[in-house]
Amino acid sequence: MDSTRRLYSANERTGWSSPPVGSRKRTNYWIWLSLLLVACTSPPDIQQTDWTIYRGDEQSRAWSSLAQIDRENVHHLEVAWSYRSGTETNSGSQSNPIRIGNRLFVVTPGVMVASLDPENGEEQWLFDPNEGDEPDSGVVRGVSHWSDGEEERIFFTPGFRLYALNPETGTPVPEFGNGGWIDLREGMDRDPEEISVRASSPGMVVGDRIILGSTVGTGSPGDIRAYDVRTGEMVWRFRLLPQPGEPGWETWPDGENVTGAGGPNNWGGMSLDRERGVLYFGTATVNPDFYTPGTRGRGEHLFGNSILALDAETGERLWHYQTIRHDLWDYDLPAPPVLFTTERDGERVDALAAVTKQGFTYVLNRETGEPLFPIEERPFPRSPIPGEITWPTQPIPTLPEPFTRQYLSEADLTERTPEAHAYALQRFREVHYEGLYTPPSTTETLRYPSTQGGANWGGASLDPRTNWLYVNANEYGNTIRLQPLDDDELAGEPLGERSGRALYRTYCASCHHPDSEFPSLEGVAERRRAGQIQTLLARGQGFMPAFPQLGEEETGRLIQYVREEISQTGAPEHLAVQGSRTDDGSGIPQTDSDSLNDPLTARYRVEYAYNHFLDEEGYFATKPPWGSLNAINLTTGKIEWKVPLGEYEALRKQGIPPTGTKNYGGSIVTAGGLIFIAGTSDRKIRAFHSETGEMLWEHELPAPGGALPATYEVEGVQYLVITATGGRVEEAAVEYVTSDHVIAFRLPPKGNEL
């Protein structure tokens, strides 16, 4: 009854509870009322009226039972308030705000935490962990909250630090760790100064512990760790790179000691079954990506590319399911599994659904890890690289239906113009392509979906009343090429003696290629001071890892080369070396001419890895959609609808229907029958009809909102809020825009709806 009064009060205040008799709103009033009755009689886990945790709830459903904003009135949404932090960065902010009482917590560009009034957006405090230094250029997708009823804390992970903050003041809690923070690089069996570890997604709070995954650089461990929320002491640690005698060790060749390797890691966040006390999460592959030198070129590589269930109390592994064995495509599991309950053979089954970059959805029994839909082992092409022994088969779900294309043919190439088609056809015939899981080779190789394709960090949202899953997808390809190291390049050259040119090849060039998804370095000398570049190298930025192994002299030579050479032309050469770390931590294989011909020690460079597969005007070379929003019925495994997500203004002016654009962030779904999502290149936030996919509302933002929206209620009014700061990778077809905005929407007060 209390929840009924609260929702009625909300509608009374905004004027949407009593549409005129005989009007269309009156007809749909009964639909609204039926939804309200469903909400009031639904199980407790469907009642989700606030947004107190990353992704809305511990099940990662991105779901809200608020229904004041619905299909009939959503077109009346207006800006309620806008907050500007005063800091813009190239990486922007991917923060999903959370609301705790009279505070809304959001991570700004530059990786600072702001506490805002959730009703008017006024800043209550701003915590800057940079202490006067250059703003952190990384990304943190939100914060975590803990309370025992008397004490409470906000947990925040800038760079390699985990802070505990006082929610009322924004000051570090002195009893936690080292005066309010702990170093996430410590306790990893490595020299903290020689590894790169940071947490881009918020930790999961379970009882008096916060449990974290991490984003790691090459050669850094990605272990899952639990810390005491009061003291910061580590309580338990689960090694994702198994050691001798641990489960998974046997999946590495010849019992190889892999302690010097980096990853696997969980960077996308976690889900929690609180009743069972079980954590669920997905992992990335062991690094480096695309090529595994030495004897690591064999084996399945657990626990890379796996869905895992851990006991939240002890860190004990309960089960795992590996979605790719021996990943060479950077197909990380990018987001937490979504938890839901379904029926099988007349019985209720607790399940999870994990979406992937390949466009698959793995639906597993939450208790056992067994698939709920058939999964087939299918053969795929073998690697032509000596010593790189790809696993002969991969597990492919037969259902749910994939939400991206899995195979390209000439019939799938763009027909935007005859010239675009001819160019795309020529490019398609030039590249090496054998379908899904085509291994990288010394010939330019097409990868479809791309490494940023399918689902990404936004993951999926779920309506628990229908078990429909909503996921946005990127549907384009990119290309990669490997090249053997020649004997004159780096063989035997110590780290401290390498030139700036050699260091650039090693650490920068494969990503900062002119046609890649990552920003060009042309003009970097004008945009950034040497000190800023040095900070970037030390801290990392977004997808860019930190390089702590570079000393002051090496960093100086690299910066000088980038500023004097690369800054003038963008990237005149793109010869990046990928290899296992050696004892000196350099990341460069110490080899000689004979060993280059040894299949177990041969080394290749990744010449480029992130080049978009484009037509001659910079649009994607395949037929649309290039970005999509999909509704998947988890009961039947069928796609209920699929619509393009986003459009390009230049193509719209030519009369071309919406094609979809590159998109990041993710969706939320509400009991008002709506899906809210931003993240498109055209800088808009939209609302879609959850049953049909019809777009019902859109609003232009100052920059792309590459984050999950959040929704909450204050004094009877429902708000929708989005972090709209841009900062994702550049795209040839659109202007690159950044901002510092957080924007909230609401329905207008009664009488002002026009």
Side-chain angles (χ1 to χ4, degrees), residues 198-402:
R198 62 189 303 158
S200 54
S201 294
M204 180 65 71
V205 173
V206 186
D208 290 343
R209 298 171 184 179
I210 180 168
I211 306 172
L212 288 170
S214 58
T215 300
V216 300
T218 300
S220 302
D223 300 343
I224 307 297
R225 290 171 289 173
Y227 296 95
D228 186 291
V229 295
R230 292 183 174 86
T231 66
E233 293 183 4
M234 189 188 301
V235 180
W236 57 254
R237 170 187 175 194
F238 178 78
R239 291 181 177 87
L240 286 170
L241 196 63
Q243 302 304 297
E246 295 179 345
W249 172 257
E250 70 282 357
T251 69
W252 294 85
D254 304 325
E256 179 189 3
N257 188 331
V258 294
T259 56
N265 60 298
N266 162 248
W267 60 267
M270 303 175 179
S271 307
L272 174 68
D273 183 330
R274 184 168 290 275
E275 183 177 343
R276 286 185 170 86
V278 179
L279 287 167
Y280 302 92
F281 58 90
T283 64
T285 186
V286 67
N287 57 47
D289 297 315
F290 314 123
Y291 167 60
T292 49
T295 56
R296 282 197 289 129
R298 303 187 297 249
E300 297 167 274
H301 295 182
L302 277 176
F303 289 101
N305 307 89
S306 297
I307 303 164
L308 288 100
L310 299 187
D311 185 309
E313 179 70 20
T314 65
E316 176 188 2
R317 181 185 63 90
L318 303 177
W319 57 259
H320 73 273
Y321 187 92
Q322 192 169 26
T323 60
I324 301 179
R325 305 181 188 95
H326 197 120
D327 181 17
L328 297 175
W329 307 273
D330 193 18
Y331 282 155
D332 307 347
L333 284 156
V338 176
L339 308 189
F340 69 104
T341 299
T342 186
E343 287 195 4
R344 286 291 187 275
D345 300 324
E347 295 184 0
R348 290 174 64 83
V349 177
D350 291 336
L352 63 79
V355 292
T356 74
K357 292 181 179 180
Q358 308 95 286
F360 294 132
T361 306
Y362 287 86
V363 180
L364 308 179
N365 183 305
R366 205 187 307 168
E367 187 170 359
T368 66
E370 294 295 321
L372 295 186
F373 292 105
I375 294 180
E376 297 179 353
E377 288 289 335
R378 296 180 186 172
F380 287 95
R382 307 299 293 270
S383 173
I385 300 300
E388 189 77 84
I389 304 175
T390 46
W391 202 257
T393 63
Q394 300 291 354
I396 305 298
T398 58
L399 288 173
E401 296 174 319

Side-chain angles (χ1 to χ4, degrees), residues 19 75 111 137 193 217 282 326 341 375 416 494 537 610 624 629 700 752:
H75 64 284
V111 193
S137 296
E193 299 297 327
H326 197 120
T341 299
I375 294 180
R416 186 179 58 82
L537 291 168
Y610 299 101
L629 182 62
E700 187 168 348
N752 297 332

Side-chain angles (χ1 to χ4, degrees), residues 566-580:
I566 304 303
S567 184
Q568 307 302 315
T569 57
E573 54 188 323
H574 39 90
L575 304 175
V577 174
Q578 296 259 337
S580 60

Side-chain angles (χ1 to χ4, degrees), residues 394-414:
Q394 300 291 354
I396 305 298
T398 58
L399 288 173
E401 296 174 319
F403 52 88
T404 63
R405 286 170 289 203
Q406 298 298 302
Y407 184 80
L408 293 182
S409 68
E410 293 184 356
D412 296 302
L413 300 180
T414 182

Side-chain angles (χ1 to χ4, degrees), residues 74 674-676 685-689 694-698:
V74 66
L674 297 169
I675 304 158
F676 292 102
I685 184 170
R686 295 176 167 88
F688 291 86
H689 191 301
E694 177 188 1
M695 189 180 70
L696 302 177
W697 170 78
E698 63 179 14

Side-chain angles (χ1 to χ4, degrees), residues 626-663:
W626 301 325
S628 65
L629 182 62
N630 305 267
I632 303 170
N633 187 325
L634 291 180
T635 302
T636 64
K638 299 295 184 179
I639 292 182
E640 296 288 346
W641 52 257
K642 180 186 191 77
V643 296
L645 181 60
E647 63 180 339
Y648 294 97
E649 183 179 3
L651 298 185
R652 179 177 57 80
K653 290 179 178 179
Q654 297 173 26
I656 297 176
T659 59
T661 71
K662 182 187 292 187
N663 57 91

